[in-house]
Amino acid sequence: MRLRYVFHLGLVWAAGLSLLGIGDARAEFRAPESLGGTMFIGDSITHGSPDANISWRWWMHRLLVDNGISYEEVGVVRGSHRRRMLHSSQHVDVAYGDTIFHNWHAAYSGAMSSDVSGTRASGKFRNTTLAQWLGRAPSACDELTPVDGKKISTFFVLLGTNDAITPAAPDHRCDWDAAKTDAIAAGIKENFGLILSEIKAANPEARVIFIEIPTWYQWYDAPYVPNHMTGVREINRQLREWAQAQGEESGVIMVSVDAGMADAASPIIGRGLKSMYAEKGPNGLHPNDQGALLIAGNVAKALGYAGATVGQPRRGDAAFEWAERALPLAFAPGEERVIRWQSRPAGGFSLSFSLSGGVGDGAAGGWDKKSAFCVSVGNGRDAGTLRIQEAYIMWNDQALYSLDASAGLPGALRVAYVQGEPERGVKSGFYVWLGDQLIGEALPSAGSADGVIISNRTEAEVDLSSLLMDSTGSYAPESGGIRGK
């Protein structure tokens, strides 16, 4: 298997893109096949944290490459936190397919929106601000490299977490009332306005993707997590209103990245699922590999781009080798069925299925974290089990995505075994998609399934509305999203 990517420079328009979380609000957003010069602005979640030398930028890069979307990384610093390696033995650059991920960005651990806007003097960026990064103001700092802001077409801005946890709390431990929540939101909006003004002064045509404050598990704030999660939701609501107020012609959008990361079964609404974070002590702010994968997928989905393919060809239902046509297929509690491959897989293999209803009753009877609808897939050598529980989609014992599955799934589930090319950035293992979004990467083999074993280990009937199998290769789902031609 060899990845091949062709970049196209024509523009595609994604009209009517929803501002996530704002009901029927709409904004025009240009989703081009070339993002041009692109700057990622942020804190440790974008930079790479002391707890996890991980940035969602790596997954975003691969997703764009998979879909033939070209861009050029632009930044004022290289590498991740403390100059450690970021998915690379070369510290700064790494190959994916036929492209190189150039680790340039404008993010720094601990950064606040005021560090970027220039409303406070801070050593986070060596006392420089966005105006100096874009070459619009002189700078005597030789540790950060200014760029020509006129040549940057796309900005991703993920800030606000440190604004929320830091003010008026020297040890980061404090409760929030409505007044404090409003004050935090007001400060972030003021700084976002200054950041947007500076970007537009450099390039009036620039696209600016602001990202809401991601949920977290905890941050030295265990007694206050319920109020903090409520406060973050309110801050994000106000940020969405701010973005909407910029007008449809501004090229501004505000997107949420919490889908799949917020624990549906948590008694604290909106709290992040602990296993999505690279927790070190009480610090549950920084996404691990799984969390970063979901952040990138959620951003891309909000912008209308097709999901990641990991270099695999896309294949729709009609092209699968085998399909169950006696549908729906009803599985009674405790029922199990074994389905064999048409021919024994020599390499990669694929499975796709959909549920016509939900699993369990969600919160109604208390979240059931043991019962599951299980689909095991393998070739007798490489195997694993996808488990759909009331609140989680699991691979073996690893949570891939959290949602209320009693309300049904928002798309088909696709499992493919990929024989990787490590030198080209693709690892061997199982890959899982929910609809078009990649939610599991290079997942480990466990068990000895040969073919597909479907077992209903819940207390209610579960119906399959589709079941497809292909022993001839590993395939990503089809997508109606924007991708290269």
Side-chain angles (χ1 to χ4, degrees), residues 143-483:
E143 295 185 51
L144 284 83
T145 306
V147 298
D148 185 350
K150 296 190 296 292
K151 297 181 179 179
I152 306 178
S153 302
T154 306
F155 292 81
F156 290 90
V157 182
L158 200 174
L159 290 163
T161 298
N162 291 304
D163 298 68
I165 64 176
T166 302
D171 60 352
H172 307 295
R173 301 178 182 95
C174 67
D175 207 354
W176 298 352
D177 56 18
K180 182 173 180 61
T181 298
D182 287 345
I184 294 171
I188 297 172
K189 288 187 289 185
E190 177 186 0
N191 289 313
F192 277 9
L194 294 171
I195 290 169
L196 179 59
S197 295
E198 192 59 55
I199 288 172
K200 291 297 186 177
N203 181 2
E205 301 301 317
R207 298 171 292 268
V208 189
I209 300 100
F210 286 96
I211 298 171
E212 294 179 14
I213 300 174
T215 186
W216 62 72
Y217 176 69
Q218 69 180 33
W219 169 260
Y220 300 96
D221 64 346
Y224 308 122
V225 168
N227 276 6
H228 286 186
M229 291 298 97
T230 300
V232 169
R233 291 201 307 276
E234 171 59 20
I235 293 167
N236 283 336
R237 185 193 67 78
Q238 293 190 34
L239 293 179
R240 290 193 297 269
E241 285 187 346
W242 173 85
Q244 187 180 25
Q246 305 312 305
E248 292 188 352
E249 302 304 318
S250 66
V252 171
I253 188 172
M254 182 77 67
V255 301
S256 170
V257 292
D258 286 352
M261 294 184 66
D263 187 352
S266 174
I268 301 172
I269 297 173
R271 186 179 194 176
L273 179 60
K274 184 176 182 179
S275 63
M276 297 285 179
Y277 299 86
E279 190 178 29
K280 183 178 181 181
N283 184 345
L285 287 177
H286 301 112
N288 56 20
D289 283 318
Q290 184 62 31
L293 174 68
L294 294 187
I295 286 178
N298 288 334
V299 170
K301 187 174 182 179
L303 299 184
Y305 287 124
T309 66
V310 206
Q312 311 310 298
R314 296 186 183 275
R315 175 161 288 192
D317 293 0
F320 262 63
E321 181 184 34
W322 179 91
E324 174 57 63
R325 306 195 187 284
L327 295 170
L329 261 178
F331 285 80
E335 184 175 357
E336 179 175 289
R337 302 186 194 184
V338 178
I339 304 171
R340 300 296 180 189
W341 299 109
Q342 291 289 92
S343 58
R344 192 170 193 82
F349 48 91
S350 304
L351 165 79
S352 180
F353 67 94
S354 300
L355 304 182
S356 57
V359 175
D361 59 5
W367 293 99
D368 185 348
K369 298 183 181 181
K370 295 182 179 179
S371 300
F373 185 76
C374 301
V375 180
S376 299
V377 58
N379 59 2
R381 181 185 67 253
D382 299 298
T385 300
L386 199 62
R387 299 167 55 210
I388 299 93
Q389 298 179 331
E390 286 186 347
Y392 312 109
I393 298 172
M394 311 277 294
W395 177 258
N396 298 326
D397 295 324
Q398 177 185 349
L400 303 181
Y401 199 92
S402 184
L403 76 171
D404 181 358
S406 69
L409 301 181
L413 281 163
R414 172 78 59 98
V415 182
Y417 181 78
V418 174
Q419 292 184 318
E421 292 183 278
E423 71 282 1
R424 298 170 63 76
V426 179
K427 300 176 183 177
S428 295
F430 286 91
Y431 289 73
V432 177
W433 288 264
L434 175 60
D436 180 49
Q437 184 175 357
L438 183 69
I439 64 170
E441 177 195 57
L443 300 168
S445 178
S448 57
D450 188 1
V452 176
I453 303 171
I454 304 174
S455 53
N456 182 8
R457 300 173 189 170
T458 75
E459 297 180 356
E461 182 176 285
V462 178
D463 293 339
L464 284 182
S465 56
S466 69
L467 178 61
L468 311 166
M469 296 171 59
D470 201 312
S471 62
T472 65
S474 50
Y475 303 107
E478 278 193 322
S479 173
I482 299 167
R483 57 184 186 269

Side-chain angles (χ1 to χ4, degrees), residues 49-69:
S49 75
D51 306 300
N53 195 35
I54 290 164
S55 171
W56 64 279
R57 291 179 290 113
W58 167 243
W59 279 267
M60 192 71 188
H61 167 83
R62 299 189 324 168
L63 190 150
L64 293 171
V65 170
D66 281 345
N67 289 291
I69 309 299

